[in-house]
Amino acid sequence: LVRCAAKVPPLGTFPDLSTSNVCRSILMKRMSWPEQLDDNFVTQLTEFVKRILGGYKDVPYHNREHAYHVVISTNKLIDLMVIRQNTWSKKKPPVTFGLRNDPTALLALLFASLIHDVEHQGIPNRQLAVEDDRLAILYNDQSIAENWSIYIGFSELLQDEFQHLRTVLFPEKEEYQRFR
């Protein structure tokens, strides 16, 4: 939710896009919570996350607990990457190739970490290919489980009940609408 709060306002609203800084700015500077992140948005975001987590199977490794660990770790790595330069003292900040100032890309990283193993069968891609699994055939033996997880993640996000979530996070610009 905090990553969403960093994405919605105009760029430059926060000194950096770390979760602690976004929260601190909203709480201590008495900034208002972005109005777009209303109850409907929070409900849809919660339901989306529940559905994705519900898609994780009870397999030995690629399960809900693994997904939770990956999401939390990704968020922490993002925070370390985007934290203000003055906290690095005399050290140079890490090279981020523009990610430090791109809240959409940071949200995409978190989305990717959430969906990365959804519906994983607990069987390696190589074995799926050897057994001519339906997914191996569908994805021509290439990144079978990963391609399926991406399909599931975006299929869920594109469901009608997540329209408000998509509209808030990815508003269409007028200049793009004319190309439809």
Coordinates of all heavy atoms in Angstrom, one line a residue, residues 137-168:
I137 N 4.2 -27.5 -23.4 CA 3.8 -27.3 -24.8 C 3.4 -25.9 -25.1 O 3.7 -25.3 -26.1 CB 2.7 -28.4 -25.1 CG1 3.3 -29.8 -24.9 CG2 2.1 -28.1 -26.4 CD1 2.2 -30.9 -24.9
L138 N 2.6 -25.3 -24.1 CA 2.1 -24.0 -24.3 C 3.2 -23.0 -24.5 O 3.2 -22.1 -25.3 CB 1.2 -23.6 -23.1 CG 0.6 -22.2 -23.2 CD1 -0.4 -22.0 -24.3 CD2 -0.2 -21.9 -21.8
Y139 N 4.2 -23.1 -23.6 CA 5.3 -22.2 -23.6 C 6.6 -22.7 -24.3 O 7.7 -22.1 -24.1 CB 5.7 -21.8 -22.2 CG 4.5 -21.0 -21.6 CD1 3.8 -21.5 -20.5 CD2 4.1 -19.8 -22.1 CE1 2.7 -20.9 -19.9 CE2 3.0 -19.1 -21.6 CZ 2.3 -19.6 -20.5 OH 1.3 -19.0 -19.9
N140 N 6.4 -23.7 -25.2 CA 7.5 -24.2 -26.0 C 8.8 -24.5 -25.2 O 9.9 -24.2 -25.6 CB 7.8 -23.2 -27.1 CG 8.6 -23.8 -28.3 OD1 8.5 -25.0 -28.5 ND2 9.4 -23.0 -28.9
D141 N 8.6 -25.1 -24.0 CA 9.6 -25.5 -23.1 C 10.5 -24.4 -22.6 O 11.6 -24.6 -22.1 CB 10.5 -26.6 -23.8 CG 9.8 -27.9 -24.0 OD1 8.8 -28.1 -23.4 OD2 10.3 -28.6 -24.9
Q142 N 10.0 -23.1 -22.7 CA 10.8 -22.0 -22.3 C 10.2 -21.3 -21.0 O 9.1 -20.9 -21.0 CB 10.8 -20.9 -23.4 CG 11.4 -21.4 -24.7 CD 12.8 -21.8 -24.6 OE1 13.7 -21.1 -24.1 NE2 13.2 -23.0 -25.0
S143 N 11.0 -21.3 -20.0 CA 10.6 -20.7 -18.7 C 9.1 -21.0 -18.4 O 8.3 -20.1 -18.2 CB 10.8 -19.1 -18.8 OG 12.1 -18.8 -19.1
I144 N 8.8 -22.2 -18.3 CA 7.5 -22.7 -18.2 C 6.7 -22.2 -17.0 O 5.7 -21.5 -17.2 CB 7.5 -24.3 -18.2 CG1 8.2 -24.8 -19.5 CG2 6.0 -24.8 -18.1 CD1 8.6 -26.2 -19.4
A145 N 7.2 -22.5 -15.8 CA 6.5 -22.0 -14.6 C 6.5 -20.5 -14.5 O 5.5 -19.9 -14.1 CB 7.2 -22.6 -13.4
E146 N 7.6 -19.9 -14.9 CA 7.6 -18.4 -14.9 C 6.6 -17.8 -15.8 O 5.9 -16.8 -15.4 CB 9.0 -17.9 -15.2 CG 10.1 -18.4 -14.2 CD 10.6 -19.8 -14.4 OE1 10.2 -20.5 -15.4 OE2 11.3 -20.3 -13.5
N147 N 6.5 -18.3 -17.0 CA 5.5 -17.7 -18.0 C 4.1 -17.9 -17.4 O 3.3 -17.0 -17.6 CB 5.7 -18.4 -19.3 CG 6.7 -17.7 -20.2 OD1 6.7 -16.5 -20.3 ND2 7.7 -18.5 -20.7
W148 N 3.8 -19.1 -16.8 CA 2.5 -19.3 -16.3 C 2.2 -18.4 -15.2 O 1.1 -17.9 -15.1 CB 2.4 -20.8 -15.9 CG 1.0 -21.1 -15.4 CD1 0.6 -21.4 -14.1 CD2 -0.2 -21.2 -16.2 NE1 -0.7 -21.7 -14.1 CE2 -1.3 -21.5 -15.3 CE3 -0.5 -21.0 -17.5 CZ2 -2.6 -21.6 -15.7 CZ3 -1.8 -21.1 -17.9 CH2 -2.8 -21.4 -17.1
S149 N 3.2 -18.2 -14.3 CA 2.9 -17.2 -13.2 C 2.6 -15.8 -13.7 O 1.8 -15.1 -13.1 CB 4.2 -17.2 -12.3 OG 4.3 -18.5 -11.6
I150 N 3.3 -15.4 -14.7 CA 3.1 -14.1 -15.2 C 1.7 -14.0 -15.8 O 0.9 -13.0 -15.6 CB 4.1 -13.7 -16.3 CG1 5.5 -13.5 -15.7 CG2 3.7 -12.5 -17.1 CD1 6.6 -13.4 -16.6
Y151 N 1.3 -15.1 -16.5 CA -0.1 -15.1 -17.1 C -1.1 -15.0 -16.0 O -2.1 -14.3 -16.1 CB -0.2 -16.4 -17.9 CG -1.7 -16.7 -18.3 CD1 -2.2 -16.0 -19.4 CD2 -2.5 -17.6 -17.6 CE1 -3.5 -16.2 -19.7 CE2 -3.8 -17.8 -17.9 CZ -4.3 -17.1 -19.0 OH -5.6 -17.3 -19.4
I152 N -0.9 -15.8 -14.9 CA -1.9 -15.8 -13.8 C -2.0 -14.4 -13.2 O -3.0 -13.9 -12.9 CB -1.5 -16.9 -12.7 CG1 -1.7 -18.3 -13.3 CG2 -2.4 -16.7 -11.5 CD1 -3.1 -18.6 -13.8
G153 N -0.8 -13.8 -12.9 CA -0.8 -12.5 -12.2 C -1.5 -11.4 -13.0 O -2.3 -10.7 -12.5
F154 N -1.2 -11.4 -14.3 CA -1.9 -10.4 -15.1 C -3.3 -10.7 -15.4 O -4.2 -9.8 -15.5 CB -1.1 -10.1 -16.4 CG 0.1 -9.2 -16.2 CD1 1.4 -9.7 -16.2 CD2 -0.1 -7.8 -16.1 CE1 2.5 -8.9 -16.0 CE2 1.0 -7.0 -15.8 CZ 2.3 -7.5 -15.8
S155 N -3.6 -12.0 -15.5 CA -5.0 -12.4 -15.7 C -5.9 -11.9 -14.5 O -7.0 -11.4 -14.7 CB -5.2 -13.9 -15.9 OG -4.6 -14.3 -17.1
E156 N -5.4 -12.1 -13.4 CA -6.1 -11.6 -12.2 C -6.2 -10.1 -12.1 O -7.3 -9.6 -11.9 CB -5.4 -12.1 -10.9 CG -5.7 -13.6 -10.6 CD -7.1 -13.9 -10.3 OE1 -7.9 -13.1 -9.8 OE2 -7.5 -15.0 -10.7
L157 N -5.1 -9.4 -12.4 CA -5.1 -8.0 -12.4 C -6.1 -7.4 -13.4 O -6.7 -6.3 -13.1 CB -3.7 -7.4 -12.6 CG -3.5 -5.9 -12.5 CD1 -3.9 -5.4 -11.1 CD2 -2.1 -5.5 -12.9
L158 N -6.3 -8.1 -14.5 CA -7.2 -7.6 -15.5 C -8.7 -7.9 -15.3 O -9.5 -7.6 -16.1 CB -6.7 -8.1 -16.9 CG -5.4 -7.5 -17.4 CD1 -4.9 -8.2 -18.6 CD2 -5.5 -6.0 -17.6
Q159 N -9.0 -8.6 -14.2 CA -10.4 -8.9 -13.9 C -11.2 -7.6 -13.7 O -10.6 -6.7 -13.2 CB -10.5 -9.8 -12.7 CG -9.9 -11.2 -12.9 CD -10.6 -12.0 -14.0 OE1 -11.8 -12.1 -14.0 NE2 -9.8 -12.6 -14.9
D160 N -12.4 -7.6 -14.1 CA -13.3 -6.5 -13.9 C -13.3 -5.9 -12.5 O -13.4 -4.7 -12.3 CB -14.7 -6.8 -14.4 CG -14.8 -7.0 -15.9 OD1 -13.9 -6.5 -16.6 OD2 -15.8 -7.6 -16.3
E161 N -13.3 -6.8 -11.5 CA -13.4 -6.3 -10.1 C -12.2 -5.5 -9.7 O -12.2 -5.0 -8.6 CB -13.7 -7.4 -9.2 CG -12.7 -8.6 -9.2 CD -13.2 -9.7 -10.1 OE1 -13.7 -9.5 -11.1 OE2 -12.9 -10.9 -9.7
F162 N -11.1 -5.5 -10.5 CA -9.9 -4.7 -10.1 C -9.8 -3.5 -11.0 O -8.7 -2.9 -11.1 CB -8.7 -5.6 -10.2 CG -8.7 -6.8 -9.3 CD1 -8.6 -8.1 -9.8 CD2 -8.9 -6.6 -7.9 CE1 -8.7 -9.2 -8.9 CE2 -9.0 -7.7 -7.1 CZ -8.9 -9.0 -7.6
Q163 N -10.9 -3.0 -11.6 CA -10.8 -1.9 -12.5 C -10.4 -0.6 -11.7 O -9.5 0.1 -12.2 CB -12.2 -1.6 -13.1 CG -12.3 -0.4 -13.9 CD -11.5 -0.4 -15.1 OE1 -11.4 -1.4 -15.8 NE2 -10.7 0.7 -15.4
H164 N -10.9 -0.4 -10.6 CA -10.5 0.8 -9.8 C -9.0 0.8 -9.4 O -8.3 1.8 -9.5 CB -11.4 1.0 -8.6 CG -11.1 2.2 -7.8 ND1 -11.2 3.5 -8.3 CD2 -10.7 2.4 -6.5 CE1 -10.9 4.4 -7.4 NE2 -10.6 3.7 -6.2
L165 N -8.5 -0.4 -9.0 CA -7.1 -0.5 -8.7 C -6.3 -0.2 -9.9 O -5.3 0.6 -9.8 CB -6.9 -2.0 -8.3 CG -5.5 -2.4 -7.9 CD1 -5.0 -1.8 -6.7 CD2 -5.4 -4.0 -7.8
R166 N -6.6 -0.7 -11.0 CA -5.8 -0.4 -12.3 C -5.9 1.1 -12.6 O -4.9 1.7 -13.0 CB -6.3 -1.3 -13.4 CG -6.0 -2.7 -13.3 CD -6.3 -3.5 -14.6 NE -7.5 -3.2 -15.2 CZ -8.7 -3.8 -14.9 NH1 -8.7 -4.8 -14.0 NH2 -9.8 -3.5 -15.6
T167 N -7.1 1.6 -12.5 CA -7.3 3.0 -12.9 C -6.4 4.0 -12.0 O -5.8 4.9 -12.5 CB -8.8 3.4 -12.8 OG1 -9.5 2.6 -13.7 CG2 -9.0 4.9 -13.2
V168 N -6.4 3.7 -10.8 CA -5.6 4.5 -9.8 C -4.1 4.4 -10.1 O -3.4 5.4 -10.2 CB -5.9 4.2 -8.4 CG1 -5.0 4.9 -7.4 CG2 -7.4 4.6 -8.0

